């Protein structure tokens, strides 16, 4: 992982607004190919997930294109991403 890895609010907004009807499927990462080192700390795991998935809002799972969205709450993107990664790890996906 690059030191100082950072995604700007503008980049996140662009990722969030990706239209799954027009996105280039070949540009998407298949979530089944993501491998996270279990020995990393929580923050490093989140960073590694983002680095590998490229767009945490839109990705592939097999033949399907998946788009995530989050309710407007006080929970941050990091909070939701942490919950999602924990869920995926528990389900071994």
């Amino acid at each position: 992982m690059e030191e100082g890895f950072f995604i700007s609010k503008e980049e996140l907004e662009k990722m969030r607004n990706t239209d799954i009807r027009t996105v280039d499927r070949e540009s998407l990462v298949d979530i089944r190919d993501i491998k996270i080192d279990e020995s990393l700390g929580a923050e490093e795991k989140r960073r590694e997930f983002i680095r590998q998935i490229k767009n945490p809002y839109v990705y592939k799972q097999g033949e399907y294109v998946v788009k995530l969205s989050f309710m407007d709450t006080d929970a941050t993107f990091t909070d939701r991403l942490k919950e999602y990664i924990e869920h995926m790890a528990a389900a071994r996906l």
Side-chain angles (χ1 to χ4, degrees):
M1 163 83 19
E2 298 174 26
E3 186 66 32
F5 179 74
F6 176 77
I7 298 176
S8 71
K9 288 182 180 181
E10 292 81 15
E11 290 172 303
L12 276 175
E13 187 67 18
K14 182 178 177 185
M15 290 176 190
R16 187 177 71 80
N17 290 327
T18 300
D19 186 337
I20 64 170
R21 297 170 295 182
T22 59
V23 69
D24 176 11
R25 292 176 58 92
E26 297 305 313
S27 70
L28 300 176
V29 174
D30 191 318
I31 197 163
R32 299 173 305 169
D33 296 331
I34 303 296
K35 305 291 184 238
I36 306 293
D37 182 348
E38 295 288 327
S39 69
L40 295 174
E43 182 64 27
E44 291 83 13
K45 285 180 183 177
R46 285 191 290 273
R47 288 182 183 180
E48 185 61 15
F49 177 80
I50 295 292
R51 186 188 68 76
Q52 289 184 44
I53 200 74
K54 297 184 178 37
N55 183 342
Y57 291 102
V58 180
Y59 57 85
K60 290 187 295 191
Q61 185 163 358
E63 65 183 85
Y64 300 101
V65 174
V66 177
K67 181 165 184 175
L68 298 180
S69 61
F70 303 97
M71 294 173 39
D72 188 18
T73 69
D74 290 336
T76 67
F77 175 75
T78 301
D79 296 336
R80 294 297 185 218
L81 184 57
K82 179 181 173 192
E83 291 173 12
Y84 178 72
I85 292 170
E86 289 170 352
H87 171 74
M88 294 297 284
R92 301 271 184 210
L93 296 177

